[in-house]
Amino acid sequence: MKSFLKGLRLGVPIGLGYLSVSFTFGISAVYNGLYWWQAVIISMTTLTSAGQLAGIGTIAAGGSYLEMLVSQLTINLRYSFMSVSLSQKTTAEFSGVKRWLMGFFMTDEIFATASSQKEVSTKLFAGISVMPYIGWTLGTLFGSLLGNVLPDSLMNALCIAIYGMFVAIVAPVAKDNRSVLCVVGLAIGLSAAFYYLPLFKGLSTGLAISICAVAAALFGAFLFPVKEDGADGR
């Protein structure tokens, strides 16, 4: 119980952040034709910020199932790597269904918080995950129901909250790492090209995000490879 309560405390800041950030998804979902309860169900069953926004963009653009599949795999593949990485710190009780649940609740912030612990038990991870899950779901609910009621100034602020979260994650690393800065710059340039150039106007948002992510990742992998320990022969 002590481990669960510790995890609960660690998850409170994430949950509060998700409460405002997921507001954006709720607003976007309803704006693009979904019912409020559909938006809530999506948040409860997927829990992936960028993936959900890309999915809504694909639906709104009338994209195909293949486009949806490609975009979701590209955007959410990182959670698989995070789960594998975190499994190096999990206790022996993490097995079977519990590992599947860990993968389901894995987000960037939950991964970062759990990774900072020396050992991750099922109770600790469950505690960390509770508040983010509740915050993400409630934020979606509030956004989908109150999107047309709140003042425009507050709406505009909430609508960019999710992008602010990603900037807060990437900016400190890009500031200190030239290779990350180059990769981020390329991704931004490609994204702008897909948005503004008439040639790419017919491309769905989800597929555009996938292309930008894969191209930027390949660019970084070829130009700035990370050497493994012992790779230099020492």
Side-chain angles (χ1 to χ4, degrees), residues 138-167:
L138 287 179
T140 301
L141 176 63
F142 295 153
S144 58
L145 290 178
L146 303 177
N148 296 323
V149 177
L150 298 176
D152 290 341
S153 57
L154 182 58
M155 283 281 295
N156 292 333
L158 289 170
C159 282
I160 64 171
I162 194 166
Y163 305 105
M165 180 185 71
F166 288 118
V167 170

Side-chain angles (χ1 to χ4, degrees), residues 25-46:
F25 173 72
I27 296 170
S28 178
V30 172
Y31 177 80
N32 284 291
L34 271 68
Y35 294 108
W36 67 267
W37 57 268
Q38 292 175 319
V40 172
I41 289 176
I42 290 174
S43 284
M44 292 180 68
T45 55
T46 55

Side-chain angles (χ1 to χ4, degrees), residues 50 54 67 70-72 74-75 180 182-197 200 203-221:
E67 290 180 6
V70 171
S71 65
Q72 294 305 310
T74 305
I75 294 169
V180 174
C182 291
V183 171
V184 171
L186 176 63
I188 293 173
L190 289 174
S191 181
F194 279 114
Y195 185 82
Y196 289 107
L197 295 181
F200 303 114
L203 205 63
S204 70
T205 303
L207 190 56
I209 291 174
S210 300
I211 295 173
C212 292
V214 172
L218 290 175
F219 171 81

Side-chain angles (χ1 to χ4, degrees), residues 12-220:
V12 168
I14 305 174
L16 292 175
Y18 281 3
L19 184 64
S20 60
V21 168
S22 60
F23 214 96
T24 306
F25 173 72
I27 296 170
S28 178
V30 172
Y31 177 80
N32 284 291
L34 271 68
Y35 294 108
W36 67 267
W37 57 268
Q38 292 175 319
V40 172
I41 289 176
I42 290 174
S43 284
M44 292 180 68
T45 55
T46 55
L47 196 62
T48 164
S49 53
Q52 290 178 216
L53 284 175
I56 290 298
T58 303
I59 292 173
S64 65
Y65 288 116
L66 180 60
E67 290 180 6
M68 180 71 79
L69 176 64
V70 171
S71 65
Q72 294 305 310
L73 283 176
T74 305
I75 294 169
N76 298 320
L77 185 61
R78 71 186 190 278
Y79 296 132
S80 299
F81 297 126
M82 291 178 188
S83 298
V84 171
S85 175
L86 189 61
S87 68
Q88 308 305 309
K89 286 190 172 185
T90 56
T91 56
E93 58 186 334
F94 257 109
S95 60
V97 176
K98 294 177 181 178
R99 285 184 176 271
W100 286 90
L101 289 173
M102 180 179 73
F104 171 77
F105 285 104
M106 189 65 65
T107 67
D108 303 278
E109 293 75 21
I110 291 176
F111 169 74
T113 302
S115 296
S116 66
Q117 306 301 305
K118 291 183 178 180
E119 188 178 65
V120 181
S121 65
T122 54
K123 292 181 180 178
L124 177 66
F125 187 81
I128 295 174
S129 304
V130 167
M131 294 309 295
Y133 185 75
I134 293 175
W136 189 257
T137 302
L138 287 179
T140 301
L141 176 63
F142 295 153
S144 58
L145 290 178
L146 303 177
N148 296 323
V149 177
L150 298 176
D152 290 341
S153 57
L154 182 58
M155 283 281 295
N156 292 333
L158 289 170
C159 282
I160 64 171
I162 194 166
Y163 305 105
M165 180 185 71
F166 288 118
V167 170
I169 293 172
V170 174
V173 182
K175 181 180 178 181
D176 299 327
N177 192 315
R178 178 173 166 273
S179 59
V180 174
L181 181 62
C182 291
V183 171
V184 171
L186 176 63
I188 293 173
L190 289 174
S191 181
F194 279 114
Y195 185 82
Y196 289 107
L197 295 181
L199 179 64
F200 303 114
K201 283 295 184 180
L203 205 63
S204 70
T205 303
L207 190 56
I209 291 174
S210 300
I211 295 173
C212 292
V214 172
L218 290 175
F219 171 81

